[in-house]
Amino acid sequence: MYKFPKKFLWGGATSANQSEGAWNVNGKGVSTPDMVTAGTKEKPRRFYKELKPEEYYPSHDAIDMYNRYFEDIELFAEMGFKSYRMSIAWTRIFPKGFETTPNQEGLDFYREIFKSLKRKKIEPIVTLSHYEMPYELALLGNGWQDRRCIDCFERYAKVVMEEFSDLVTYWMTFNEINCLANVFGGYLAGGILPPDGPEMQITENHERKNARFNGLHNQFVASARAVINGKKINPNFQIGCMISALCSYPYTCNPEDMIKNQQTFQINNWLCGDVQIRGHYPHFAKRYFKENDISIHWTQKDLKEISEGTVDYLAFSYYMSNCISSDETVGKSLGNIMTGIPNPYVKQSAWGWPVDARGLRYYMNEAYGRYEIPMFIVENGIGAKDKLESDKTIHDPYRIDYLKEHLLQVYEAIEDGIPVIGYTMWGCIDLIWNGNTFFDKNYKVL
Ligand code: BG6
């Protein structure tokens, strides 16, 4: 019998843009994902600056959670959820992002949800920005690279934290913030506009890279301000950063592979963790920025705020691990925001993602050893080709196995001595695909 801590926050996770739908009702503005068309495993999603009536935009209706939230919460309660991770759509509160008066209907909507969760004794875990920002704000200065986003986010965060200070304790600032350190993160995580059309996820040049890292810096400052203000609003708030655990191993013990993997791990994981948890840029950042000709427009005030606005816990998503090789001829595997070389010791899901439960324990030990703050697994799960039976059920022993294997490793991590706040499974309800996979021009995974 495996014993987990008594107050462990078991539950599930979703995001506003992948579940709510109702994209333009009751004062909601257009958010960046509302401009992205549907895609498939073979065909990437597309972005056009103007909406095209002939295209299908999944976030517009999503799974209609906006209208069905209460039924869904009933089901979560039936399943024994102790917590539910969700995000607030920034555009329901500030439709364009730069207004100064919030949209009351948006605030009322989330208040009802939080109240209903509380009635069911389900703790809300709230992400302030889950891969979305107001599209109008993104157009203003090309996404997060524009410093005006910092003030707009600060205002938004302050309004919702004040409004829900009696109902929400656990907050996270930006979902998978480290995605912006990666090429596919430009629009997804930073609202930096891609060119019109199918190349959405493959465009990268020096200018975009510079924009991404400046956008990331601006998010660091915005996140720090949210923490500083949040603690003034309610000192009991627990505010976390949220990082995608991009767990990688060296492909061989060749020292070249070891170094390559170490550098990859640093940029993929530690850069954001170090800034948001330790309160300063890590030692390797300077060289990385220099060698990539990246110049960050930071100020002394930014660095001070970053040092003061450190987070209480490290929340992260974990789906897979990969290998890194210094040999560019070795092939890569499929993933969501993570691609790499398949590990011969790790199996793959039917969808082609590596399934490595032990990587979860490995990552947790690495991260806890570095930061020594509580950890929260806020996303973990498996996508599969599920078969809907005639009685509308799905038999998915592969998903049960996946969860069992991963939870066993969470248990091991706790036994290793790591304080873990909880575990919220991703895809606790069917929702829309984020479509992060990174393709080349022939739609081959890079
Ligand atoms: C994470 C995101 O990257 O992975 C979620 O935070 C996302 O928004 C999840 O949905 C699964 O990835 P995908 O590509 O299958 O949607």
Side-chain angles (χ1 to χ4, degrees), residues 286-322:
K286 205 170 161 190
R287 178 167 184 180
Y288 180 80
F289 291 154
K290 194 168 165 222
E291 289 184 351
N292 287 277
D293 199 16
I294 292 166
S295 77
I296 310 279
H297 307 295
W298 51 36
T299 66
Q300 282 310 313
K301 183 168 172 273
D302 290 351
L303 300 181
K304 185 164 177 286
E305 285 173 338
I306 283 175
S307 74
E308 289 167 357
T310 55
V311 295
D312 299 308
Y313 65 94
L314 165 58
F316 67 96
S317 56
Y318 178 83
Y319 290 98
M320 67 194 77
S321 69
N322 263 316

mmCIF file of all heavy atoms in Angstrom, residues 286-322:
data_model
loop_
_atom_site.group_PDB
_atom_site.id
_atom_site.type_symbol
_atom_site.label_atom_id
_atom_site.label_comp_id
_atom_site.label_asym_id
_atom_site.label_seq_id
_atom_site.Cartn_x
_atom_site.Cartn_y
_atom_site.Cartn_z
ATOM 1 N N LYS A 286 24.629 34.617 -19.524
ATOM 2 C CA LYS A 286 25.410 35.673 -20.172
ATOM 3 C C LYS A 286 26.079 35.144 -21.446
ATOM 4 O O LYS A 286 26.000 35.744 -22.511
ATOM 5 C CB LYS A 286 26.472 36.148 -19.180
ATOM 6 C CG LYS A 286 26.930 37.549 -19.430
ATOM 7 C CD LYS A 286 27.788 37.996 -18.272
ATOM 8 C CE LYS A 286 28.632 39.177 -18.691
ATOM 9 N NZ LYS A 286 29.640 39.512 -17.697
ATOM 10 N N ARG A 287 26.714 33.981 -21.317
ATOM 11 C CA ARG A 287 27.423 33.411 -22.461
ATOM 12 C C ARG A 287 26.435 33.007 -23.559
ATOM 13 O O ARG A 287 26.667 33.222 -24.741
ATOM 14 C CB ARG A 287 28.243 32.205 -22.003
ATOM 15 C CG ARG A 287 28.949 31.544 -23.159
ATOM 16 C CD ARG A 287 29.994 30.574 -22.714
ATOM 17 N NE ARG A 287 30.685 30.071 -23.896
ATOM 18 C CZ ARG A 287 31.666 29.205 -23.847
ATOM 19 N NH1 ARG A 287 32.091 28.762 -22.692
ATOM 20 N NH2 ARG A 287 32.240 28.784 -24.959
ATOM 21 N N TYR A 288 25.319 32.407 -23.141
ATOM 22 C CA TYR A 288 24.321 31.970 -24.116
ATOM 23 C C TYR A 288 23.809 33.186 -24.906
ATOM 24 O O TYR A 288 23.709 33.158 -26.128
ATOM 25 C CB TYR A 288 23.157 31.262 -23.405
ATOM 26 C CG TYR A 288 22.095 30.787 -24.362
ATOM 27 C CD1 TYR A 288 22.265 29.608 -25.095
ATOM 28 C CD2 TYR A 288 20.934 31.534 -24.572
ATOM 29 C CE1 TYR A 288 21.293 29.188 -26.004
ATOM 30 C CE2 TYR A 288 19.957 31.115 -25.473
ATOM 31 C CZ TYR A 288 20.143 29.941 -26.184
ATOM 32 O OH TYR A 288 19.188 29.522 -27.082
ATOM 33 N N PHE A 289 23.502 34.255 -24.190
ATOM 34 C CA PHE A 289 22.986 35.451 -24.868
ATOM 35 C C PHE A 289 24.055 36.026 -25.806
ATOM 36 O O PHE A 289 23.766 36.417 -26.922
ATOM 37 C CB PHE A 289 22.554 36.522 -23.852
ATOM 38 C CG PHE A 289 21.324 36.130 -23.048
ATOM 39 C CD1 PHE A 289 21.097 36.648 -21.780
ATOM 40 C CD2 PHE A 289 20.381 35.247 -23.573
ATOM 41 C CE1 PHE A 289 19.965 36.294 -21.043
ATOM 42 C CE2 PHE A 289 19.244 34.876 -22.843
ATOM 43 C CZ PHE A 289 19.042 35.406 -21.574
ATOM 44 N N LYS A 290 25.302 36.034 -25.338
ATOM 45 C CA LYS A 290 26.381 36.605 -26.154
ATOM 46 C C LYS A 290 26.568 35.783 -27.432
ATOM 47 O O LYS A 290 26.607 36.314 -28.535
ATOM 48 C CB LYS A 290 27.668 36.617 -25.316
ATOM 49 C CG LYS A 290 28.733 37.478 -25.914
ATOM 50 C CD LYS A 290 29.877 37.707 -24.952
ATOM 51 C CE LYS A 290 31.047 38.251 -25.754
ATOM 52 N NZ LYS A 290 32.309 37.655 -25.374
ATOM 53 N N GLU A 291 26.647 34.468 -27.244
ATOM 54 C CA GLU A 291 26.904 33.621 -28.413
ATOM 55 C C GLU A 291 25.747 33.600 -29.407
ATOM 56 O O GLU A 291 25.919 33.290 -30.573
ATOM 57 C CB GLU A 291 27.236 32.192 -27.956
ATOM 58 C CG GLU A 291 28.598 32.157 -27.306
ATOM 59 C CD GLU A 291 29.070 30.754 -26.897
ATOM 60 O OE1 GLU A 291 28.284 29.784 -26.947
ATOM 61 O OE2 GLU A 291 30.238 30.662 -26.509
ATOM 62 N N ASN A 292 24.559 33.897 -28.917
ATOM 63 C CA ASN A 292 23.398 33.917 -29.816
ATOM 64 C C ASN A 292 23.004 35.331 -30.215
ATOM 65 O O ASN A 292 21.954 35.551 -30.808
ATOM 66 C CB ASN A 292 22.213 33.211 -29.156
ATOM 67 C CG ASN A 292 22.416 31.709 -29.125
ATOM 68 O OD1 ASN A 292 22.156 31.025 -30.092
ATOM 69 N ND2 ASN A 292 22.941 31.211 -28.011
ATOM 70 N N ASP A 293 23.876 36.272 -29.864
ATOM 71 C CA ASP A 293 23.658 37.666 -30.221
ATOM 72 C C ASP A 293 22.292 38.176 -29.737
ATOM 73 O O ASP A 293 21.558 38.841 -30.482
ATOM 74 C CB ASP A 293 23.787 37.799 -31.757
ATOM 75 C CG ASP A 293 24.044 39.235 -32.161
ATOM 76 O OD1 ASP A 293 24.415 40.021 -31.284
ATOM 77 O OD2 ASP A 293 23.834 39.560 -33.347
ATOM 78 N N ILE A 294 21.975 37.813 -28.510
ATOM 79 C CA ILE A 294 20.689 38.240 -27.936
ATOM 80 C C ILE A 294 20.967 39.402 -26.987
ATOM 81 O O ILE A 294 21.843 39.296 -26.133
ATOM 82 C CB ILE A 294 20.043 37.071 -27.142
ATOM 83 C CG1 ILE A 294 19.617 35.964 -28.102
ATOM 84 C CG2 ILE A 294 18.858 37.547 -26.300
ATOM 85 C CD1 ILE A 294 19.288 34.658 -27.425
ATOM 86 N N SER A 295 20.261 40.490 -27.172
ATOM 87 C CA SER A 295 20.470 41.560 -26.181
ATOM 88 C C SER A 295 19.156 41.859 -25.474
ATOM 89 O O SER A 295 18.149 42.196 -26.083
ATOM 90 C CB SER A 295 21.106 42.797 -26.823
ATOM 91 O OG SER A 295 20.165 43.501 -27.530
ATOM 92 N N ILE A 296 19.195 41.672 -24.170
ATOM 93 C CA ILE A 296 17.985 41.845 -23.359
ATOM 94 C C ILE A 296 17.928 43.291 -22.858
ATOM 95 O O ILE A 296 18.903 43.801 -22.305
ATOM 96 C CB ILE A 296 17.994 40.893 -22.128
ATOM 97 C CG1 ILE A 296 18.295 39.449 -22.529
ATOM 98 C CG2 ILE A 296 16.701 41.010 -21.337
ATOM 99 C CD1 ILE A 296 17.164 38.658 -23.072
ATOM 100 N N HIS A 297 16.762 43.887 -23.054
ATOM 101 C CA HIS A 297 16.608 45.291 -22.636
ATOM 102 C C HIS A 297 16.131 45.335 -21.190
ATOM 103 O O HIS A 297 14.988 45.631 -20.918
ATOM 104 C CB HIS A 297 15.628 45.997 -23.570
ATOM 105 C CG HIS A 297 16.005 45.847 -25.002
ATOM 106 N ND1 HIS A 297 17.176 46.385 -25.511
ATOM 107 C CD2 HIS A 297 15.417 45.200 -26.025
ATOM 108 C CE1 HIS A 297 17.263 46.075 -26.793
ATOM 109 N NE2 HIS A 297 16.225 45.334 -27.128
ATOM 110 N N TRP A 298 17.009 44.987 -20.291
ATOM 111 C CA TRP A 298 16.583 44.982 -18.893
ATOM 112 C C TRP A 298 17.041 46.241 -18.181
ATOM 113 O O TRP A 298 17.928 46.951 -18.626
ATOM 114 C CB TRP A 298 17.057 43.742 -18.159
ATOM 115 C CG TRP A 298 18.524 43.419 -18.267
ATOM 116 C CD1 TRP A 298 19.569 44.287 -18.321
ATOM 117 C CD2 TRP A 298 19.062 42.101 -18.346
ATOM 118 N NE1 TRP A 298 20.735 43.597 -18.419
ATOM 119 C CE2 TRP A 298 20.461 42.255 -18.433
ATOM 120 C CE3 TRP A 298 18.521 40.829 -18.330
ATOM 121 C CZ2 TRP A 298 21.323 41.162 -18.519
ATOM 122 C CZ3 TRP A 298 19.378 39.754 -18.417
ATOM 123 C CH2 TRP A 298 20.754 39.911 -18.512
ATOM 124 N N THR A 299 16.387 46.513 -17.054
ATOM 125 C CA THR A 299 16.750 47.692 -16.249
ATOM 126 C C THR A 299 17.115 47.195 -14.844
ATOM 127 O O THR A 299 16.787 46.057 -14.483
ATOM 128 C CB THR A 299 15.550 48.659 -16.109
ATOM 129 O OG1 THR A 299 14.538 47.988 -15.339
ATOM 130 C CG2 THR A 299 14.975 49.068 -17.454
ATOM 131 N N GLN A 300 17.743 48.055 -14.082
ATOM 132 C CA GLN A 300 18.094 47.696 -12.699
ATOM 133 C C GLN A 300 16.828 47.418 -11.894
ATOM 134 O O GLN A 300 16.786 46.528 -11.055
ATOM 135 C CB GLN A 300 18.888 48.834 -12.035
ATOM 136 C CG GLN A 300 20.363 48.883 -12.454
ATOM 137 C CD GLN A 300 21.058 47.513 -12.338
ATOM 138 O OE1 GLN A 300 20.936 46.827 -11.332
ATOM 139 N NE2 GLN A 300 21.765 47.110 -13.388
ATOM 140 N N LYS A 301 15.770 48.174 -12.207
ATOM 141 C CA LYS A 301 14.489 47.995 -11.497
ATOM 142 C C LYS A 301 13.933 46.593 -11.789
ATOM 143 O O LYS A 301 13.446 45.908 -10.890
ATOM 144 C CB LYS A 301 13.504 49.074 -11.945
ATOM 145 C CG LYS A 301 12.172 49.043 -11.231
ATOM 146 C CD LYS A 301 11.365 50.317 -11.507
ATOM 147 C CE LYS A 301 9.952 50.212 -10.968
ATOM 148 N NZ LYS A 301 8.999 49.609 -11.886
ATOM 149 N N ASP A 302 14.055 46.165 -13.050
ATOM 150 C CA ASP A 302 13.595 44.804 -13.412
ATOM 151 C C ASP A 302 14.294 43.770 -12.540
ATOM 152 O O ASP A 302 13.669 42.863 -11.982
ATOM 153 C CB ASP A 302 13.987 44.435 -14.854
ATOM 154 C CG ASP A 302 13.234 45.213 -15.902
ATOM 155 O OD1 ASP A 302 12.279 45.917 -15.548
ATOM 156 O OD2 ASP A 302 13.622 45.095 -17.089
ATOM 157 N N LEU A 303 15.621 43.913 -12.454
ATOM 158 C CA LEU A 303 16.403 42.892 -11.741
ATOM 159 C C LEU A 303 16.063 42.896 -10.249
ATOM 160 O O LEU A 303 16.027 41.844 -9.607
ATOM 161 C CB LEU A 303 17.900 43.113 -11.974
ATOM 162 C CG LEU A 303 18.332 43.033 -13.459
ATOM 163 C CD1 LEU A 303 19.834 43.236 -13.616
ATOM 164 C CD2 LEU A 303 17.929 41.698 -14.104
ATOM 165 N N LYS A 304 15.773 44.085 -9.740
ATOM 166 C CA LYS A 304 15.382 44.189 -8.327
ATOM 167 C C LYS A 304 14.028 43.491 -8.126
ATOM 168 O O LYS A 304 13.846 42.705 -7.185
ATOM 169 C CB LYS A 304 15.302 45.667 -7.919
ATOM 170 C CG LYS A 304 15.036 45.890 -6.464
ATOM 171 C CD LYS A 304 15.349 47.342 -6.064
ATOM 172 C CE LYS A 304 15.021 47.596 -4.602
ATOM 173 N NZ LYS A 304 13.587 47.686 -4.345
ATOM 174 N N GLU A 305 13.097 43.764 -9.021
ATOM 175 C CA GLU A 305 11.769 43.149 -8.882
ATOM 176 C C GLU A 305 11.871 41.623 -9.007
ATOM 177 O O GLU A 305 11.232 40.884 -8.253
ATOM 178 C CB GLU A 305 10.818 43.723 -9.941
ATOM 179 C CG GLU A 305 10.387 45.136 -9.574
ATOM 180 C CD GLU A 305 9.584 45.855 -10.657
ATOM 181 O OE1 GLU A 305 9.672 45.476 -11.841
ATOM 182 O OE2 GLU A 305 8.887 46.808 -10.314
ATOM 183 N N ILE A 306 12.705 41.180 -9.944
ATOM 184 C CA ILE A 306 12.883 39.725 -10.110
ATOM 185 C C ILE A 306 13.430 39.112 -8.815
ATOM 186 O O ILE A 306 13.011 38.037 -8.394
ATOM 187 C CB ILE A 306 13.818 39.449 -11.324
ATOM 188 C CG1 ILE A 306 13.032 39.646 -12.622
ATOM 189 C CG2 ILE A 306 14.443 38.075 -11.251
ATOM 190 C CD1 ILE A 306 13.855 39.528 -13.897
ATOM 191 N N SER A 307 14.345 39.832 -8.173
ATOM 192 C CA SER A 307 14.934 39.262 -6.948
ATOM 193 C C SER A 307 13.933 39.281 -5.788
ATOM 194 O O SER A 307 14.028 38.477 -4.870
ATOM 195 C CB SER A 307 16.222 39.999 -6.579
ATOM 196 O OG SER A 307 15.889 41.262 -6.049
ATOM 197 N N GLU A 308 12.974 40.202 -5.848
ATOM 198 C CA GLU A 308 11.995 40.277 -4.748
ATOM 199 C C GLU A 308 10.753 39.416 -4.995
ATOM 200 O O GLU A 308 10.068 39.038 -4.048
ATOM 201 C CB GLU A 308 11.553 41.739 -4.543
ATOM 202 C CG GLU A 308 12.661 42.586 -3.930
ATOM 203 C CD GLU A 308 12.382 44.082 -3.989
ATOM 204 O OE1 GLU A 308 11.341 44.478 -4.557
ATOM 205 O OE2 GLU A 308 13.223 44.839 -3.469
ATOM 206 N N GLY A 309 10.482 39.124 -6.247
ATOM 207 C CA GLY A 309 9.236 38.410 -6.557
ATOM 208 C C GLY A 309 9.443 36.935 -6.835
ATOM 209 O O GLY A 309 8.933 36.406 -7.826
ATOM 210 N N THR A 310 10.190 36.265 -5.968
ATOM 211 C CA THR A 310 10.418 34.828 -6.195
ATOM 212 C C THR A 310 9.207 34.018 -5.739
ATOM 213 O O THR A 310 8.462 34.439 -4.853
ATOM 214 C CB THR A 310 11.692 34.346 -5.457
ATOM 215 O OG1 THR A 310 11.563 34.699 -4.091
ATOM 216 C CG2 THR A 310 12.941 34.973 -6.038
ATOM 217 N N VAL A 311 9.057 32.844 -6.339
ATOM 218 C CA VAL A 311 7.831 32.062 -6.132
ATOM 219 C C VAL A 311 7.927 31.122 -4.918
ATOM 220 O O VAL A 311 9.019 30.840 -4.430
ATOM 221 C CB VAL A 311 7.502 31.237 -7.394
ATOM 222 C CG1 VAL A 311 7.172 32.153 -8.562
ATOM 223 C CG2 VAL A 311 8.637 30.280 -7.742
ATOM 224 N N ASP A 312 6.754 30.633 -4.496
ATOM 225 C CA ASP A 312 6.688 29.744 -3.325
ATOM 226 C C ASP A 312 6.883 28.281 -3.680
ATOM 227 O O ASP A 312 7.280 27.479 -2.850
ATOM 228 C CB ASP A 312 5.307 29.866 -2.665
ATOM 229 C CG ASP A 312 5.038 31.273 -2.171
ATOM 230 O OD1 ASP A 312 5.889 31.809 -1.449
ATOM 231 O OD2 ASP A 312 3.979 31.837 -2.538
ATOM 232 N N TYR A 313 6.469 27.921 -4.885
ATOM 233 C CA TYR A 313 6.583 26.501 -5.249
ATOM 234 C C TYR A 313 6.866 26.355 -6.738
ATOM 235 O O TYR A 313 6.655 27.293 -7.516
ATOM 236 C CB TYR A 313 5.319 25.723 -4.853
ATOM 237 C CG TYR A 313 4.046 26.121 -5.567
ATOM 238 C CD1 TYR A 313 3.615 25.459 -6.718
ATOM 239 C CD2 TYR A 313 3.258 27.167 -5.103
ATOM 240 C CE1 TYR A 313 2.449 25.824 -7.368
ATOM 241 C CE2 TYR A 313 2.080 27.534 -5.742
ATOM 242 C CZ TYR A 313 1.683 26.858 -6.876
ATOM 243 O OH TYR A 313 0.530 27.222 -7.527
ATOM 244 N N LEU A 314 7.394 25.208 -7.086
ATOM 245 C CA LEU A 314 7.692 24.916 -8.493
ATOM 246 C C LEU A 314 6.613 23.974 -9.027
ATOM 247 O O LEU A 314 6.532 22.808 -8.627
ATOM 248 C CB LEU A 314 9.077 24.263 -8.619
ATOM 249 C CG LEU A 314 9.416 23.562 -9.940
ATOM 250 C CD1 LEU A 314 9.324 24.506 -11.133
ATOM 251 C CD2 LEU A 314 10.827 22.967 -9.897
ATOM 252 N N ALA A 315 5.764 24.514 -9.882
ATOM 253 C CA ALA A 315 4.776 23.674 -10.549
ATOM 254 C C ALA A 315 5.351 23.284 -11.903
ATOM 255 O O ALA A 315 6.082 24.059 -12.517
ATOM 256 C CB ALA A 315 3.479 24.447 -10.736
ATOM 257 N N PHE A 316 5.038 22.095 -12.349
ATOM 258 C CA PHE A 316 5.589 21.680 -13.646
ATOM 259 C C PHE A 316 4.692 20.652 -14.319
ATOM 260 O O PHE A 316 3.865 19.997 -13.680
ATOM 261 C CB PHE A 316 7.018 21.142 -13.483
ATOM 262 C CG PHE A 316 7.097 19.857 -12.709
ATOM 263 C CD1 PHE A 316 7.132 18.626 -13.363
ATOM 264 C CD2 PHE A 316 7.114 19.858 -11.328
ATOM 265 C CE1 PHE A 316 7.196 17.432 -12.659
ATOM 266 C CE2 PHE A 316 7.166 18.671 -10.607
ATOM 267 C CZ PHE A 316 7.210 17.457 -11.265
ATOM 268 N N SER A 317 4.880 20.571 -15.628
ATOM 269 C CA SER A 317 4.221 19.519 -16.406
ATOM 270 C C SER A 317 5.291 18.492 -16.742
ATOM 271 O O SER A 317 6.470 18.833 -16.909
ATOM 272 C CB SER A 317 3.645 20.091 -17.700
ATOM 273 O OG SER A 317 4.659 20.743 -18.448
ATOM 274 N N TYR A 318 4.899 17.254 -16.810
ATOM 275 C CA TYR A 318 5.854 16.219 -17.225
ATOM 276 C C TYR A 318 5.137 15.222 -18.130
ATOM 277 O O TYR A 318 4.120 14.643 -17.745
ATOM 278 C CB TYR A 318 6.451 15.473 -16.020
ATOM 279 C CG TYR A 318 7.385 14.374 -16.478
ATOM 280 C CD1 TYR A 318 8.709 14.660 -16.806
ATOM 281 C CD2 TYR A 318 6.937 13.062 -16.658
ATOM 282 C CE1 TYR A 318 9.562 13.671 -17.291
ATOM 283 C CE2 TYR A 318 7.788 12.071 -17.139
ATOM 284 C CZ TYR A 318 9.085 12.380 -17.452
ATOM 285 O OH TYR A 318 9.929 11.407 -17.941
ATOM 286 N N TYR A 319 5.660 15.053 -19.322
ATOM 287 C CA TYR A 319 5.063 14.087 -20.244
ATOM 288 C C TYR A 319 6.040 13.026 -20.720
ATOM 289 O O TYR A 319 5.653 11.901 -21.002
ATOM 290 C CB TYR A 319 4.494 14.810 -21.484
ATOM 291 C CG TYR A 319 3.275 15.626 -21.153
ATOM 292 C CD1 TYR A 319 3.373 16.992 -20.923
ATOM 293 C CD2 TYR A 319 2.033 15.018 -21.036
ATOM 294 C CE1 TYR A 319 2.242 17.740 -20.595
ATOM 295 C CE2 TYR A 319 0.896 15.753 -20.708
ATOM 296 C CZ TYR A 319 1.014 17.107 -20.491
ATOM 297 O OH TYR A 319 -0.097 17.828 -20.152
ATOM 298 N N MET A 320 7.303 13.388 -20.863
ATOM 299 C CA MET A 320 8.228 12.480 -21.546
ATOM 300 C C MET A 320 9.676 12.887 -21.274
ATOM 301 O O MET A 320 9.922 13.957 -20.713
ATOM 302 C CB MET A 320 7.984 12.565 -23.048
ATOM 303 C CG MET A 320 8.360 13.920 -23.620
ATOM 304 S SD MET A 320 7.752 14.209 -25.264
ATOM 305 C CE MET A 320 6.048 14.584 -24.949
ATOM 306 N N SER A 321 10.580 12.046 -21.718
ATOM 307 C CA SER A 321 11.988 12.435 -21.710
ATOM 308 C C SER A 321 12.531 12.194 -23.115
ATOM 309 O O SER A 321 11.863 11.584 -23.948
ATOM 310 C CB SER A 321 12.764 11.582 -20.705
ATOM 311 O OG SER A 321 12.819 10.248 -21.185
ATOM 312 N N ASN A 322 13.710 12.650 -23.350
ATOM 313 C CA ASN A 322 14.356 12.454 -24.646
ATOM 314 C C ASN A 322 15.863 12.396 -24.476
ATOM 315 O O ASN A 322 16.356 12.646 -23.389
ATOM 316 C CB ASN A 322 13.998 13.619 -25.579
ATOM 317 C CG ASN A 322 12.835 13.246 -26.484
ATOM 318 O OD1 ASN A 322 12.799 12.152 -27.020
ATOM 319 N ND2 ASN A 322 11.902 14.162 -26.637
#
